[in-house]
Amino acid sequence: MSQQPKTAIQPTRAQDYPEWYLQVIKAADMAENSPVRGCMVIKPWGYALWENIQRTLDGMFKETGHVNAYFPLFIPLSYLQKEAQHVDGFAKECAVVTHSRLEAGPDGKLVPASPLEEPLIVRPTSETIIGESFARWVQSYRDLPLLINQWANVVRWEMRTRLFLRTAEFLWQEGHTVHADEADARAETMRMLDVYADFAEQHLAMPVIKGRKTDSERFPGAVDTYCIEAMMQDRKALQSGTSHYLGQNFARSSNIRFQDEAGQMQFAHTTSWGVSTRLIGGMIMTHADDDGLIVPPRLAPQHVVILPIYRDAADRANVLAYCESLKTELHAQRLGDERLRVTIDDRDLRGGEKTWSWVKKGVPLRIDVGPRDIAAGSVFVARRDTGEKESVDRSEFVGTVIARLQAIQDNLLARAKAFRTEHTRVIDSKDELYAWFTPQSGDKPEIHGGFALCHWNGSAAVEAQLKEELKVTIRCIPLEGEWGYDATPGQCVMTGEPSVGRVVLAKAY
Amino acid sequence: MSQQPKTAIQPTRAQDYPEWYLQVIKAADMAENSPVRGCMVIKPWGYALWENIQRTLDGMFKETGHVNAYFPLFIPLSYLQKEAQHVDGFAKECAVVTHSRLEAGPDGKLVPASPLEEPLIVRPTSETIIGESFARWVQSYRDLPLLINQWANVVRWEMRTRLFLRTAEFLWQEGHTVHADEADARAETMRMLDVYADFAEQHLAMPVIKGRKTDSERFPGAVDTYCIEAMMQDRKALQSGTSHYLGQNFARSSNIRFQDEAGQMQFAHTTSWGVSTRLIGGMIMTHADDDGLIVPPRLAPQHVVILPIYRDAADRANVLAYCESLKTELHAQRLGDERLRVTIDDRDLRGGEKTWSWVKKGVPLRIDVGPRDIAAGSVFVARRDTGEKESVDRSEFVGTVIARLQAIQDNLLARAKAFRTEHTRVIDSKDELYAWFTPQSGDKPEIHGGFALCHWNGSAAVEAQLKEELKVTIRCIPLEGEWGYDATPGQCVMTGEPSVGRVVLAKAY
């Protein structure tokens, strides 16, 4: 590996964090920009991560009583018109379909033809089109609760895009549920927030703070928006999932009504909740290092890669046979519900190049198997998260591989929690707050500060000032008992006015 | 059940086949038309079928070495321009995105704004956009074969649509592979055709004929198009899947080249293959009857529904406890790799109404459990495909449930094969052919004829005449050894000219 640079990824996080992020994605072969502005191509390694995220979350949704359905990609303009009247801050950047045909013009060039009577919008989110169905599906209290989820692609015409974090088209799931009363709808809202938080911590190994958004950060049309917020390695916050209690607002605009047990017609209470391919960006920025991606074992496209080492054809047959039988023994075991995913890399590449390709892809465990290992009945194991390497008795390794993978999973979560603790500060003075969010000499401009736990007087004016002067927002008001929760009264860090508890301040993606 | 009509679905197949099809979908609550022209809403029961189809096929794709990826929803107009020059019969009915923003006009109404420099097309298929990536991904023979699949939504602006069979937006998978030589690409083409045929017969219980399309029915741009063709209960053919050998045509238009072992640059050989939500339409028209849907157990969203029967609260507790323990015992077992899916329907509905709702959804096995059954330690079992009902000892039922489900699966396939045989005829005279494809007195206009196995001189003129005069097409030239295969030379049924073997003629969807 002497030919390798000191770190596999150039630049390093410390040298240029935003560029490091893009280079990690490139080195792991996860995704690339496409010729279509703002749309990405998700390559097999990146898509396998999404498939694992999707399969796990889908199981959690079904365990909590939800079923999947599919609604149209297109939304009639008139639906958004209605929406725009109900909702301030309605997003207008979207893909508009105006024609339904291509025709060859005089010069033989194809041009749009057959204009539509009413333009169609490619869904930026499906509330309005799903609401139209729900209004027909829901008639009686017997039809409630209605618990629907959709896996889909959505499009928002973002000006500045970054792979996984913000793209014009992205993949997501959107849950939409209908309930007879507020209590039931609020319980659903919190249930799904918990599902997201459990998934983030147990599978992505990404610690999150569950909290409520302030009025100014709330989803347009929602009564309450709840979120999970994670800290990235540049100490910025990433909003990783949201769950909204919509009250009766969407029920009124979509006319979702039901006959209650007393025979009265009532507007329903609805919720919506979603996570997207953005989670993959969060996973990268939580765990990857200057040698590339590190994948939490629970979501790894491959748990173990076996690298056969041999000099000649005689060796080769021997070594590959040993590798195959080892692969079979490993594949027979399960991490959680899933069989171990094990691959043998017999590509015709130099050893160093081959090893580094798996380091950069972040596979949790790498195993070298050569004639000497076979003779000794051992395997040479490298652990991606710590870089530890050791020669282990083969049968001992097979017997401990699940524990080893779980140890990696646990270490990634513990490491991320320690990082968050290290870069979170309880701040009670405005000077200290401004210093915390201003690069000090020696700081890289992109890497400084972190989370600040501060008292706030509850006014939007203070939020506006923080945004204006520091580019800082209130990420959430932590839920009772959450990490960062503190409801002891105090004085607003900006105004000195009374505060009922601390909020989480940070710069954010 | 006395309040029930003689059949649950009105009209019956014999009375009005096309309307029967729509009523089956409605009664099973599978899908509905949306306010967006030609786009359907796939409801939970229909979508669960798609999820099961998707999960099973995805496993088969991965076992054959394929990986999933995701490419942009939008295709730049210039890509289709290039395509249109290479390919005759290039489809021009599509959704065209021309603007990227909505703005409030003077009257406050939202109107399209920010016109795009180049219009974008919502993908009708992804050959061109995937080709652009493949041209960059493929450099050397070491990169081959490249075996990629995508699960996606696609849009074709169809004029006349029918739920599942033909919709403007539909869900599908499209496989796209790149190979070093023709032999390898042709082997892939046939491998995936076999995967489709095995899936259709083993999971959908839908018998299919594997064959090659004639030149006039070939996919534009393909060297050879292979298909699986099934017979619906109105005796029409449904093309249920296609696998194309594209030769070097797409490699040339997308510039997919590689350096071979000798260091020479070569154009690659590519394939593509796909199936869609149309398979659900095929499943309905293969198995459903005048009481509604019949779902093959291998794909059933629920394998067994348990219907508790009780008079009062005391009964209820008792009966539900018995049902729960029965459900647990059943759920512990596996059909293939999958745990039995069992549901207890304790909705507050009249017994008849409740039972019929599951008949119409086509659940393979229904179980009534009442106090008398509990006393007798038995369950009352109804089988959807045959209508058989019997009281069975509980433990015997638990011990035989997998065999019972497999028996239903086998019966559905056998029944469909017998139907196809019954309505297929070897025809050697033009008069007989014309009579076969013309409603006779007593025939319903939509239900007559079937498949005809005829000799053909290989000319497109004959195909045009058959289409013109009988609305009949050559569905395929059966592969060697396939059902319907007959390579004994003969004389064209239309012209008397020499023929090398029989082809399958039918009216088709």
Side-chain angles (χ1 to χ4, degrees):
Chain A
M1 306 185 183
S2 52
Q3 310 96 316
Q4 288 294 334
K6 203 154 153 309
T7 63
I9 303 299
Q10 302 289 335
T12 63
R13 287 163 289 186
Q15 288 165 343
D16 182 346
Y17 189 89
E19 181 59 23
W20 163 83
Y21 173 76
L22 295 177
Q23 290 304 319
V24 168
I25 291 171
K26 187 174 182 198
D29 208 20
M30 297 172 80
E32 63 188 18
N33 288 308
S34 80
V36 185
R37 224 193 105 291
C39 295
M40 65 178 162
V41 173
I42 306 178
K43 301 181 80 171
W45 193 255
Y47 196 80
L49 280 160
W50 180 241
E51 286 181 280
N52 294 345
I53 288 171
Q54 199 172 14
R55 187 173 58 254
T56 306
L57 274 174
D58 196 67
M60 295 171 88
F61 296 159
K62 283 170 178 164
E63 278 165 27
T64 44
H66 303 82
V67 290
N68 291 325
Y70 188 79
F71 297 84
L73 171 67
F74 300 123
I75 299 175
L77 178 56
S78 57
Y79 284 47
L80 297 187
Q81 181 71 53
K82 195 169 57 175
E83 192 68 3
Q85 284 153 355
H86 282 73
V87 176
D88 312 337
F90 165 83
K92 296 186 179 61
E93 308 301 333
C94 54
V96 187
V97 177
T98 56
H99 295 70
S100 67
R101 185 176 162 77
L102 295 173
E103 263 168 25
D107 56 356
K109 289 240 174 300
L110 294 173
V111 293
S114 308
L116 299 174
E117 284 181 18
E118 179 182 18
L120 297 172
I121 311 307
V122 178
R123 61 185 164 214
T125 173
S126 303
E127 264 83 8
T128 57
I129 191 83
I130 290 180
E132 191 275 342
S133 287
F134 282 5
R136 283 180 289 102
W137 298 359
V138 171
Q139 302 296 331
S140 149
Y141 68 91
R142 286 197 176 82
D143 303 323
L144 302 179
L146 179 63
L147 306 174
I148 301 284
N149 176 65
Q150 168 172 268
W151 292 96
N153 53 341
V154 290
V155 171
R156 298 170 188 184
W157 214 266
E158 302 285 356
M159 282 304 105
R160 302 214 327 299
T161 62
R162 303 195 75 204
L163 292 173
F164 292 117
L165 294 174
R166 177 172 277 97
T167 49
E169 179 191 19
F170 58 93
L171 304 180
W172 80 341
Q173 65 59 225
E174 48 184 320
H176 298 274
T177 70
V178 186
H179 306 264
D181 56 40
E182 172 168 357
D184 197 49
R186 283 194 177 275
E188 167 77 5
T189 307
M190 302 318 288
R191 184 179 306 117
M192 300 323 288
L193 186 70
D194 289 340
V195 164
Y196 287 156
D198 292 347
F199 175 77
E201 302 212 338
Q202 299 314 310
H203 293 268
L204 289 166
M206 182 172 79
V208 294
I209 302 175
K210 287 184 279 184
R212 186 165 49 82
K213 287 292 190 187
T214 65
D215 295 1
S216 30
E217 296 284 324
R218 202 197 294 131
F219 174 61
V223 171
D224 277 313
T225 289
Y226 298 88
C227 60
I228 52 173
E229 297 280 333
M231 181 187 286
M232 304 292 100
Q233 290 183 71
D234 61 356
R235 312 181 202 169
K236 287 208 188 79
L238 184 76
Q239 175 177 301
S240 308
T242 52
S243 184
H244 312 289
Y245 168 58
L246 304 172
Q248 295 179 307
N249 299 345
F250 275 91
R252 288 181 198 283
S253 59
S254 300
N255 194 34
I256 304 172
R257 305 194 305 155
F258 67 99
Q259 189 169 44
D260 65 19
E261 300 200 36
Q264 302 301 311
M265 292 308 287
Q266 305 257 15
F267 281 109
H269 295 252
T270 68
T271 84
S272 71
W273 29 275
V275 297
S276 74
T277 34
R278 174 174 244 214
L279 287 176
I280 296 174
M283 184 203 74
I284 295 167
M285 289 199 291
T286 301
H287 302 303
D289 64 16
D290 294 336
D291 285 333
L293 188 62
I294 298 179
V295 181
R298 288 270 177 185
L299 296 174
Q302 299 292 344
H303 292 109
V304 181
V305 57
I306 302 175
L307 304 167
I309 298 166
Y310 47 80
R311 249 183 252 73
D312 51 41
D315 275 2
R316 181 168 189 278
N318 215 339
V319 168
L320 286 185
Y322 188 90
C323 292
E324 282 297 344
S325 72
L326 180 60
K327 176 181 174 178
T328 306
E329 285 180 60
L330 294 172
H331 180 66
Q333 307 192 49
R334 290 176 186 273
L335 178 66
D337 294 345
E338 312 220 339
R339 292 198 168 286
L340 283 203
R341 294 179 282 268
V342 183
T343 188
I344 298 171
D345 182 357
D346 190 33
R347 285 177 301 167
D348 171 19
L349 286 178
R350 279 191 293 84
E353 194 180 335
K354 193 187 283 192
T355 299
W356 278 100
S357 72
W358 293 106
V359 170
K360 290 182 285 188
K361 281 182 177 301
V363 172
L365 292 172
R366 302 187 309 278
I367 299 175
D368 292 341
V369 174
R372 259 192 270 85
D373 305 289
I374 297 176
S378 65
V379 293
F380 188 76
V381 183
R383 183 175 154 167
R384 176 63 180 92
D385 62 326
T386 60
E388 290 164 347
K389 299 186 179 63
E390 54 173 340
S391 181
V392 185
D393 173 77
R394 171 189 169 146
S395 61
E396 185 205 324
F397 176 72
V398 172
T400 56
V401 63
I402 299 299
R404 288 168 185 265
L405 289 166
Q406 189 57 53
I408 294 171
Q409 183 81 31
D410 298 341
N411 177 53
L412 290 176
L413 179 60
R415 206 152 79 171
K417 281 184 171 171
F419 182 88
R420 182 180 65 177
T421 305
E422 182 187 351
H423 298 292
T424 299
R425 193 175 297 179
V426 173
I427 296 180
D428 290 318
S429 94
K430 182 173 174 179
D431 291 350
E432 189 184 353
L433 183 67
Y434 275 58
W436 179 244
F437 285 116
T438 308
Q440 305 300 305
S441 64
D443 282 339
K444 298 285 155 190
E446 307 101 12
I447 307 183
H448 64 273
F451 287 0
L453 302 176
C454 302
H455 278 292
W456 168 58
N457 65 354
S459 88
V462 165
E463 287 181 278
Q465 188 185 354
L466 288 167
K467 202 168 200 169
E468 168 70 23
E469 295 177 1
L470 293 177
K471 298 191 176 58
V472 162
T473 49
I474 297 179
R475 302 314 305 155
C476 69
I477 304 160
L479 299 186
E480 184 168 358
E482 265 308 283
W483 192 87
Y485 172 76
D486 176 1
T488 40
Q491 296 173 321
C492 175
V493 67
M494 297 289 286
T495 65
E497 292 169 338
S499 154
V500 296
R502 294 185 186 273
V503 298
V504 178
L505 293 175
K507 297 184 177 181
Y509 279 92
Chain B
M1 308 186 180
S2 53
Q3 309 97 314
Q4 288 294 332
K6 203 156 150 309
T7 63
I9 303 299
Q10 301 289 335
T12 63
R13 286 163 290 186
Q15 287 165 343
D16 182 344
Y17 188 89
E19 181 59 23
W20 163 83
Y21 172 75
L22 295 177
Q23 290 304 318
V24 168
I25 291 171
K26 188 175 181 195
D29 208 19
M30 296 171 79
E32 63 188 19
N33 288 308
S34 81
V36 184
R37 222 193 108 293
C39 294
M40 64 178 163
V41 174
I42 306 178
K43 301 180 79 172
W45 193 255
Y47 196 80
L49 280 160
W50 181 242
E51 288 180 281
N52 295 345
I53 288 171
Q54 200 173 12
R55 187 173 58 254
T56 306
L57 274 174
D58 195 67
M60 295 171 89
F61 296 158
K62 284 171 177 163
E63 279 165 26
T64 44
H66 303 83
V67 290
N68 291 325
Y70 188 78
F71 297 84
L73 172 67
F74 300 124
I75 300 177
L77 179 57
S78 56
Y79 283 46
L80 298 186
Q81 181 71 52
K82 196 169 54 173
E83 192 69 1
Q85 285 153 352
H86 282 73
V87 176
D88 312 337
F90 165 81
K92 298 188 177 60
E93 309 299 334
C94 52
V96 187
V97 177
T98 56
H99 295 70
S100 67
R101 185 177 161 78
L102 294 174
E103 262 168 25
D107 56 356
K109 289 241 174 300
L110 294 172
V111 293
S114 309
L116 299 174
E117 283 182 20
E118 179 182 18
L120 297 172
I121 312 307
V122 179
R123 62 184 163 215
T125 174
S126 304
E127 264 83 7
T128 57
I129 192 83
I130 290 180
E132 191 274 342
S133 287
F134 283 6
R136 282 181 289 102
W137 298 359
V138 172
Q139 300 297 332
S140 148
Y141 69 92
R142 287 197 174 83
D143 303 323
L144 302 179
L146 179 62
L147 307 174
I148 301 284
N149 177 65
Q150 168 171 266
W151 293 96
N153 53 340
V154 290
V155 172
R156 298 170 188 183
W157 213 266
E158 302 285 354
M159 282 304 105
R160 302 205 335 293
T161 62
R162 304 195 75 204
L163 292 172
F164 291 118
L165 294 174
R166 176 172 277 98
T167 49
E169 179 190 20
F170 58 93
L171 305 181
W172 80 342
Q173 65 58 225
E174 49 185 317
H176 298 273
T177 70
V178 187
H179 306 263
D181 58 39
E182 171 168 358
D184 198 48
R186 283 194 176 274
E188 166 79 5
T189 307
M190 302 318 288
R191 184 179 306 118
M192 300 323 287
L193 186 71
D194 288 340
V195 163
Y196 287 157
D198 292 347
F199 175 77
E201 302 213 338
Q202 300 314 310
H203 293 267
L204 290 165
M206 181 172 79
V208 295
I209 303 175
K210 287 185 278 185
R212 186 165 50 83
K213 287 292 190 188
T214 65
D215 296 0
S216 29
E217 297 283 324
R218 203 197 294 132
F219 174 61
V223 172
D224 277 312
T225 290
Y226 298 87
C227 60
I228 52 173
E229 296 280 333
M231 182 187 285
M232 304 292 99
Q233 290 183 73
D234 61 356
R235 311 182 202 167
K236 287 207 188 81
L238 184 76
Q239 176 177 300
S240 307
T242 51
S243 184
H244 313 288
Y245 168 59
L246 304 171
Q248 296 178 307
N249 298 345
F250 274 92
R252 287 180 198 282
S253 59
S254 299
N255 195 34
I256 304 171
R257 304 194 304 155
F258 68 98
Q259 190 169 43
D260 64 20
E261 301 200 35
Q264 302 302 310
M265 292 307 286
Q266 305 257 14
F267 281 110
H269 295 253
T270 68
T271 83
S272 71
W273 30 275
V275 297
S276 73
T277 34
R278 175 173 242 212
L279 288 175
I280 295 173
M283 185 204 74
I284 295 167
M285 288 199 290
T286 301
H287 302 303
D289 64 16
D290 294 336
D291 285 331
L293 188 63
I294 298 179
V295 181
R298 288 270 177 182
L299 297 173
Q302 300 291 345
H303 293 108
V304 181
V305 58
I306 302 175
L307 304 167
I309 299 166
Y310 47 80
R311 252 184 251 72
D312 51 41
D315 276 0
R316 181 169 188 276
N318 217 337
V319 169
L320 286 185
Y322 188 91
C323 292
E324 282 296 345
S325 71
L326 180 61
K327 175 181 173 177
T328 306
E329 285 180 59
L330 294 172
H331 180 66
Q333 306 192 52
R334 289 177 186 270
L335 179 66
D337 295 345
E338 312 220 338
R339 292 198 168 287
L340 284 202
R341 295 180 280 267
V342 183
T343 187
I344 298 171
D345 182 359
D346 190 33
R347 285 176 301 166
D348 171 19
L349 285 179
R350 281 195 289 80
E353 193 181 335
K354 193 187 282 191
T355 299
W356 278 99
S357 74
W358 293 106
V359 170
K360 290 182 285 190
K361 282 184 177 299
V363 172
L365 293 172
R366 305 187 306 279
I367 299 175
D368 292 341
V369 173
R372 258 192 271 87
D373 304 289
I374 297 175
S378 65
V379 293
F380 187 76
V381 183
R383 182 174 156 166
R384 176 63 179 93
D385 62 327
T386 59
E388 290 165 347
K389 300 186 178 68
E390 55 174 337
S391 182
V392 185
D393 172 76
R394 170 188 170 145
S395 61
E396 184 204 328
F397 175 73
V398 172
T400 56
V401 63
I402 298 300
R404 288 168 186 266
L405 289 167
Q406 190 57 53
I408 294 172
Q409 183 82 30
D410 297 342
N411 178 53
L412 290 176
L413 180 59
R415 205 153 81 172
K417 281 183 172 172
F419 182 88
R420 182 180 65 176
T421 303
E422 182 188 349
H423 298 292
T424 300
R425 194 174 295 178
V426 174
I427 295 180
D428 290 318
S429 95
K430 182 173 176 182
D431 291 351
E432 189 183 353
L433 183 67
Y434 276 58
W436 179 245
F437 285 117
T438 309
Q440 305 300 306
S441 62
D443 282 340
K444 297 285 155 193
E446 306 102 14
I447 307 183
H448 65 273
F451 287 1
L453 303 176
C454 302
H455 279 292
W456 169 58
N457 65 353
S459 88
V462 165
E463 288 181 277
Q465 186 185 354
L466 288 167
K467 203 168 199 167
E468 168 69 23
E469 296 177 2
L470 293 176
K471 298 192 175 61
V472 162
T473 50
I474 297 178
R475 302 314 306 155
C476 70
I477 304 159
L479 299 186
E480 186 169 356
E482 266 306 282
W483 193 86
Y485 172 75
D486 176 2
T488 37
Q491 297 174 319
C492 175
V493 68
M494 296 291 285
T495 65
E497 291 170 333
S499 154
V500 295
R502 295 185 185 274
V503 298
V504 179
L505 293 175
K507 297 184 175 180
Y509 280 91

